Amino acid sequence: MATLHRLPSLRSLASTPHRGLVEVATIIGLYGLYEAVRGQGHATVGVAREHTDGIVALERHLHLFGERTIQQGAHWVPGLPTLLGIAYISLHFLGTAAFLIWLHRSHPERFPVVRNTLIAATGVALSIYLLYPVAPPRLAGLGFVDTVTHNTKVNLSSDLLGSLYNPFAAVPSLHFGYALLVGVTVALLAKGRVTRAIGWSYPGVMLLVIVATGNHFFFDAAGGALAIGIGYVAASWVDSPAKHARRWQPDRGSAVATC
């Protein structure tokens, strides 16, 4: 008599690490969907700049509006704007991809929570992009320089690139949100002191990159951190409490602190 096996639940599938090719295909598919949805924003420059003006007013009220000064300081250092522009283009994708490969190979039991955090946070961000379009500093008419375009010759506002993404998807900053998740995870799981130090510093480096290139305000970065926090709560809910606790215990013999 044949035995009937219950199909795994969606929650079980989401809380389980899968083969590398499956994870890669899933992430590529989800990223394609992300870009397709993100590009559906049809906000006008006027509306996006009005929202930006509100963010600037809030930062001025809190005495946090220093992004233009940071960019000006960065442009005084020879070669730094070009380096920051290259970092803005490459780190978000290549850095995150390299991190996910490392995590899947070295700590597969932790991979589902991180993967699900990224997915949930990206979903939160997409919703805000469509409902609350915001012009980045470089497009806000506030005297910021488009560092990436001027120093790396990659025009983020060109018709070609503009057709592939929403230029007014500035809040929240997933550049910073992803960097925060990557950096903290590496700092908590890596065994070498140098690698852990790189992990702790990575979000700060990304904050400098996105601000000095004129792509985000501090407010945007705070929004990215909040999106990741919401994503982590959602990912933790998908996990069973016992499994989640075991995943974030350090390996025996490791000096890494618990999360």
Side-chain angles (χ1 to χ4, degrees):
M1 184 176 179
T3 303
L4 295 178
H5 297 281
R6 291 181 59 185
L7 293 175
S9 65
L10 289 177
R11 188 170 186 175
S12 175
L13 288 172
S15 62
T16 304
H18 306 289
R19 288 183 303 167
L21 289 178
V22 174
E23 295 288 1
V24 169
T26 300
I27 290 174
I28 291 176
L30 289 173
Y31 184 76
L33 177 63
Y34 161 73
E35 287 294 350
V37 175
R38 186 185 185 211
Q40 296 306 307
H42 299 290
T44 63
V45 175
V47 170
R49 284 186 173 180
E50 284 182 10
H51 292 161
T52 302
D53 290 342
I55 290 172
V56 171
L58 175 63
E59 287 198 353
R60 289 185 186 277
H61 178 71
L62 298 174
H63 304 288
L64 294 176
F65 184 64
E67 292 89 345
R68 196 161 50 197
T69 301
I70 291 175
Q71 186 181 66
Q72 291 170 348
H75 277 254
W76 272 100
V77 181
L80 183 57
T82 300
L83 181 62
L84 292 173
I86 294 173
Y88 182 82
I89 295 172
S90 60
L91 276 184
H92 183 54
F93 300 103
L94 299 181
T96 304
F99 159 74
L100 290 174
I101 292 172
W102 168 78
L103 185 66
H104 189 271
R105 291 181 175 179
S106 302
H107 302 278
E109 73 284 356
R110 273 86 166 191
F111 186 87
V113 173
V114 172
R115 176 199 60 207
N116 296 340
T117 298
L118 289 175
I119 293 173
T122 302
V124 170
L126 277 176
S127 301
I128 298 175
Y129 294 157
L130 297 177
L131 297 174
Y132 193 77
V134 176
R138 61 186 174 82
L139 298 179
L142 297 172
F144 285 87
V145 176
D146 186 347
T147 300
V148 175
T149 298
H150 281 76
N151 294 91
T152 67
K153 309 307 178 184
V154 177
N155 186 359
L156 296 177
S157 301
S158 66
D159 292 338
L160 174 61
L161 291 180
S163 66
L164 299 176
Y165 84 110
N166 179 2
F168 304 130
V171 178
S173 169
L174 286 184
H175 269 72
F176 181 77
Y178 281 20
L180 181 63
L181 180 63
V182 170
V184 171
T185 304
V186 169
L188 292 174
L189 297 181
K191 295 181 180 180
R193 291 184 179 179
V194 174
T195 306
R196 292 203 299 273
I198 292 174
W200 286 123
S201 63
Y202 184 56
V205 171
M206 184 60 78
L207 181 62
L208 173 63
V209 168
I210 64 176
V211 169
T213 57
N215 281 285
H216 288 285
F217 293 101
F218 293 134
F219 179 89
D220 309 351
L226 180 60
I228 285 294
I230 294 172
Y232 180 74
V233 171
S236 300
W237 175 83
V238 170
D239 245 5
S240 67
K243 185 185 292 185
H244 181 74
R246 288 197 303 270
R247 278 180 175 158
W248 291 99
Q249 290 298 319
D251 299 328
R252 288 187 176 182
S254 171
V256 182
T258 59
C259 178

